[in-house]
Amino acid sequence: NLAMWPAHILAVALGLVILLLLRVRSPARGRVSSGILVVLLGFVAWAFLWQRYATINWAVAYVLPLLVLEIVLLAWSGLVRNGLAFRASRRPAGVTGMTLLAFSVLAYPIIAPLLGRSWRHAEVFGIAPDPTVIGTAGLVLLAEGRTRWELLAVPLIWCTISSLTLLAMGSPDAVLPAVAAIGVVAAGVSSRHRRWSAPDV
């Protein structure tokens, strides 16, 4: 965190832009939001995981390709094809997605001080992997149309691995990625069931 400061301010600002774009009716908001996520995920993959975390954890070399795959898929779907239209809604997927996205951007940084740790240990969206990946899953849930399981698979895998890692370390933070993963699956399955049960008109 000390090495990357003040990039945190820009990262949070970009997260707020994504949240604001959900309230703006524009054909470009899907592409802009996808582009912001691609940049932030790329920064996390390179600056945090590869440059720093990989030097103390050999397993990162095997997990990092998952994040790169998510970046490629998101860039293809959201930037190249412009096939992602995000919209806040009252559907289970919409409520869950907005909750995860807003929590990752606005609330995740204060978890460290709430647990008695220094602000220097705060995990910030766009800087640390967990809030960034959870926020990504939240935004993907807000995509119109079918549930984008191809874009949710990597965040779900990441949240599972992160939760197990934190649990092994005895960290109370382990519950956050676990709850996020459960919420994503529940919302996605619920949305799929609603589509199947909707009557033909």
Side-chain angles (χ1 to χ4, degrees), residues 101-144:
L101 179 59
F103 182 81
S104 65
V105 174
L106 302 174
Y108 224 101
I110 69 173
I111 292 174
L114 286 177
L115 293 177
R117 299 196 293 263
S118 166
W119 278 100
R120 290 181 299 176
H121 298 108
E123 294 185 74
V124 177
F125 176 82
I127 301 295
D130 280 0
T132 308
V133 172
I134 290 173
T136 299
L139 185 62
V140 171
L141 280 176
L142 293 170
E144 294 182 344

Side-chain angles (χ1 to χ4, degrees), residues 100 103 108 111 115 117 123 130-131 134 156 158-184:
L100 292 178
F103 182 81
Y108 224 101
I111 292 174
L115 293 177
R117 299 196 293 263
E123 294 185 74
D130 280 0
I134 290 173
L156 287 173
W158 180 277
C159 286
T160 301
I161 294 174
S162 178
S163 182
L164 292 174
T165 301
L166 292 170
L167 183 64
M169 295 170 59
S171 173
D173 299 45
V175 69
L176 297 175
V179 169
I182 293 171
V184 168

Side-chain angles (χ1 to χ4, degrees), residues 138-158:
L139 185 62
V140 171
L141 280 176
L142 293 170
E144 294 182 344
R146 65 178 179 83
T147 303
R148 307 279 179 163
W149 289 111
E150 71 277 11
L151 294 176
L152 291 172
V154 170
L156 287 173
I157 294 172
W158 180 277

